[in-house]
Amino acid sequence: MSSFSDSNLAKKLNELNGTQQSIQTLSLWLIHHRKHSKTIVQVWLRELKKVTPPRRLIYIYLANDVIQNSKKKGPEFTKDFGTVMGEAFATGYREAGEKQRGSLDRILNIWEDRGVYTKDFMKNLRQKIAGGETAAHIKDVLKDDILTAWKESNPKKESTPRKEEKPRKEAPQKELTPKEVIPRKRRRKDEPEQLALKVELDSMKHDELGTYDTESLIKRLSALENSASCDAAIREKIAKLPPEVSDISQLAKLHDKDSARRLSNTVDNACILLTDYNKRLAEELDERKSVAKMLRAFINTQTEQLGHAEKRLQMEIYRRVI
């Protein structure tokens, strides 16, 4: 694993992309060098301010992975990142699109749900973000005011008045029939997707809901907490693989048969490790999709049962009143 330096970290941040593998690999490297957490956080914030809004979101994804996966080894990153999160999120929101802001909000919601930071900290963080948004809004308003004042100080020549148009005679309205009075329902753009989801859930009520109960669903959800993507030990092994495994230029350093044989064994072991891990990740992905479908069907069923219960309760109240 390469040594730590400011320039090396900046280079790795610039090479970072939005894939899970890229984020997790750099996250493990940072956790390995957690004794430099203060420097890491300062360089991270400095580089975050330089990049475009979409890449700011990737940097915050990285910080989220580091914070949540370094808890067991120490509180350094949670504490040090906490000192700059207000500024980082305010920068992340600036010029970000609606989709990117939604992703940032989801990270905040996850931190609140999992208790990553205290309630007071999250409240202050949201206030700082809102304050940054207000400042940006005021800046835009001032810009508009300056533009308006300039237009008023440079009026255009008055154009010749337009001739008054004669009012058009309105055609007599015919009496509408009951069918015409009711407006035609517009078809929403996402109606096909909603319809497809409803069909899927209706089919699952009969096909899948009978095959499990609440307890088994909870067990499957709990099992996902120990899935492949949460296996820090394997991820650390992958991060510690020597550069010779993936860097073809290292082949030029081979000078004898023994070193070539050792490299071949290392590559074979790395391939076995990665193949097994990729297989586990694929199985986890299938399991998550299956559990997600079950959850949607379960929630839909519970919602319907709640609606039926409310109707029965209203009927009972109505009978007693009468």
Side-chain angles (χ1 to χ4, degrees):
M1 185 171 288
S2 57
S3 60
F4 177 82
S5 66
D6 291 12
S7 58
N8 197 7
L9 173 57
K11 180 182 177 182
K12 288 181 178 292
L13 288 171
N14 290 329
E15 294 172 350
L16 181 68
N17 58 58
T19 63
Q20 185 178 7
Q21 181 180 0
S22 177
I23 292 172
Q24 290 181 348
T25 302
L26 183 52
S27 173
L28 287 171
W29 187 81
L30 295 177
I31 294 172
H32 179 75
H33 293 288
R34 60 186 179 277
K35 64 181 180 180
H36 303 287
S37 60
K38 293 184 183 297
T39 304
I40 288 172
V41 169
Q42 294 302 321
V43 175
W44 172 85
L45 181 63
R46 183 191 70 201
E47 297 299 318
L48 180 143
K49 292 179 179 179
K50 295 179 181 179
V51 298
T52 58
R55 285 193 60 78
R56 291 172 191 165
L57 178 61
I58 297 174
Y59 279 41
I60 292 178
Y61 279 153
L62 172 65
N64 173 57
D65 194 273
V66 172
I67 290 170
Q68 298 207 54
N69 289 299
S70 65
K71 282 182 177 180
K72 295 180 181 179
K73 297 190 176 182
E76 301 95 336
F77 280 112
T78 305
K79 180 180 177 182
D80 293 335
F81 270 115
T83 60
V84 301
M85 272 304 164
E87 186 176 358
F89 267 84
T91 305
Y93 268 78
R94 195 175 302 133
E95 299 176 6
E98 184 178 352
K99 185 177 180 180
Q100 294 162 2
R101 293 189 178 193
S103 299
L104 292 171
D105 288 332
R106 279 194 293 275
I107 293 175
L108 294 177
N109 293 335
I110 290 172
W111 288 355
E112 289 176 338
D113 294 340
R114 297 182 180 179
V116 175
Y117 288 104
T118 63
K119 292 182 178 179
D120 291 338
F121 177 90
M122 295 303 300
K123 182 179 179 181
N124 292 333
L125 178 57
R126 290 188 182 275
Q127 288 175 350
K128 288 180 180 178
I129 295 171
E133 287 295 287
T134 304
H137 175 69
I138 292 173
K139 183 178 179 181
D140 292 339
V141 170
L142 289 174
K143 189 187 297 182
D144 293 339
D145 290 343
I146 293 171
L147 182 60
T148 303
W150 181 85
K151 287 181 178 179
E152 290 177 353
S153 62
N154 296 272
K156 296 181 179 179
K157 294 182 179 179
E158 294 185 359
S159 58
T160 56
R162 297 175 59 184
K163 293 182 179 179
E164 294 185 2
E165 296 182 357
K166 294 182 180 180
R168 296 179 180 178
K169 292 183 179 180
E170 295 183 359
Q173 295 182 353
K174 66 176 182 177
E175 187 175 350
L176 299 177
T177 63
K179 290 184 178 180
E180 293 172 328
V181 171
I182 301 173
R184 187 176 181 181
K185 186 178 179 181
R186 294 183 178 179
R187 185 169 185 174
R188 293 173 52 187
K189 293 181 179 179
D190 59 348
E191 187 174 345
E193 297 179 4
Q194 296 293 335
L195 182 60
L197 178 59
K198 186 178 185 303
V199 171
E200 178 187 0
L201 294 178
D202 289 341
S203 63
M204 290 180 63
K205 284 183 212 173
H206 304 289
D207 298 338
E208 294 188 21
L209 287 180
T211 63
Y212 72 95
D213 53 15
T214 306
E215 184 177 354
S216 63
L217 180 59
I218 293 173
K219 287 181 179 179
R220 292 184 70 171
L221 287 170
S222 300
L224 288 174
E225 295 181 358
N226 300 319
S227 55
S229 61
C230 301
D231 193 343
I234 295 295
R235 289 170 54 190
E236 189 166 359
K237 285 183 179 179
I238 295 173
K240 288 182 177 179
L241 289 173
E244 292 84 357
V245 173
S246 58
D247 189 357
I248 195 171
S249 63
Q250 299 291 329
L251 295 175
K253 298 180 181 180
L254 299 177
H255 299 293
D256 52 38
K257 187 182 293 185
D258 291 336
S259 59
R261 187 178 293 109
R262 286 195 298 271
L263 177 59
S264 177
N265 292 333
T266 302
V267 172
D268 289 341
N269 293 333
C271 287
I272 294 172
L273 177 66
L274 292 172
T275 301
D276 180 65
Y277 188 57
N278 286 335
K279 181 180 177 181
R280 290 175 58 198
L281 287 174
E283 292 173 352
E284 178 189 346
L285 181 60
D286 292 338
E287 175 67 6
R288 287 185 181 276
K289 289 180 180 178
S290 176
V291 173
K293 287 183 179 180
M294 289 183 175
L295 280 173
R296 289 201 300 269
F298 183 79
I299 292 171
N300 186 68
T301 303
Q302 295 299 313
T303 303
E304 287 186 358
Q305 291 179 359
L306 179 60
H308 293 324
E310 289 178 347
K311 288 181 180 178
R312 288 197 298 270
L313 180 60
Q314 289 174 357
M315 292 298 296
E316 184 65 25
I317 294 173
Y318 180 72
R319 292 194 190 98
R320 291 185 180 182
V321 170
I322 292 177

